[in-house]
Amino acid sequence: MSKVKHHRLMMGIAQEAAKQSTDSNTKVGAVLCNGDQVLGIGYNGTLSGFDNNCKDDKGNTLSTVVHAEINALAKVARSTQSSEGSALYTTLAPCIHCVLSLVQSGIQEVYYLDRKTHYNGIPILLEAGIKVYQLENEEQGCTETLLPRKE
């Protein structure tokens, strides 16, 4: 499978996963893979067994909402697979809290579509030696841009 087809496939899975989120404002999907093998899929939502409402009465996100990246990692943790050396595809650049778990889990590459600057954990990924790529929209061929590592 070509690199472009692989990016399209994995980001397409992440985008489909994002549609499962019950968050009314932000729908995020994530896929952990090792080559063509999908290790875990996640989307942002409440803890297993909790009410699926992600917002309180004032529209604030509940503290029980788990981010897509963490849900994907949790699926791997509950399996016989390892995230060591894997790649993460996510529809939104990971926040600082997710980045801490990604670094500790042995992720080697992160691919994302959109970026929210107030949730930017990318500098820590780069400092940890993890390759970070921003992918252009799927309709534009899913091209990648490697972000520079800060020396």
Side-chain angles (χ1 to χ4, degrees):
M1 178 180 305
S2 76
K3 190 183 240 187
V4 170
K5 285 183 179 180
H6 180 74
H7 289 331
R8 283 184 182 160
L9 175 63
M10 293 304 160
M11 192 57 76
I13 294 170
Q15 289 172 316
E16 286 301 313
K19 293 176 185 176
Q20 301 303 309
S21 173
T22 58
D23 190 311
S24 56
N25 295 333
T26 306
K27 295 182 180 295
V28 182
V31 176
L32 276 168
C33 65
N34 193 345
D36 292 340
Q37 182 182 11
V38 173
L39 303 175
I41 299 171
Y43 56 87
N44 58 318
T46 57
L47 290 167
S48 297
F50 280 54
D51 179 42
N52 282 332
N53 189 2
C54 292
K55 304 288 185 189
D56 65 16
D57 294 337
K58 296 179 183 176
N60 300 313
T61 301
L62 296 171
S63 61
T64 53
V65 171
V66 181
H67 289 189
E69 302 91 333
I70 300 302
N71 273 324
L73 280 172
K75 290 198 173 60
V76 175
R78 290 189 306 255
S79 75
T80 59
Q81 301 294 320
S82 170
S83 58
E84 188 71 37
S86 64
L88 173 78
Y89 285 78
T90 180
T91 57
L92 187 64
C95 73
I96 189 85
H97 301 291
C98 290
V99 161
L100 299 176
S101 293
L102 294 173
V103 170
Q104 291 297 91
S105 298
I107 306 297
Q108 286 188 343
E109 298 175 326
V110 172
Y111 297 86
Y112 70 93
L113 284 178
D114 295 321
R115 184 177 193 166
K116 281 188 175 179
T117 56
H118 63 282
Y119 288 127
N120 192 354
I122 291 172
I124 292 175
L125 291 171
L126 295 171
E127 187 175 334
I130 296 171
K131 293 179 181 175
V132 180
Y133 301 87
Q134 184 168 15
L135 295 179
E136 297 297 324
N137 196 325
E138 186 175 337
E139 290 79 32
Q140 298 170 347
C142 229
T143 59
E144 64 186 35
T145 301
L146 176 63
L147 301 182
R149 182 174 179 196
K150 294 185 179 181
E151 299 297 329

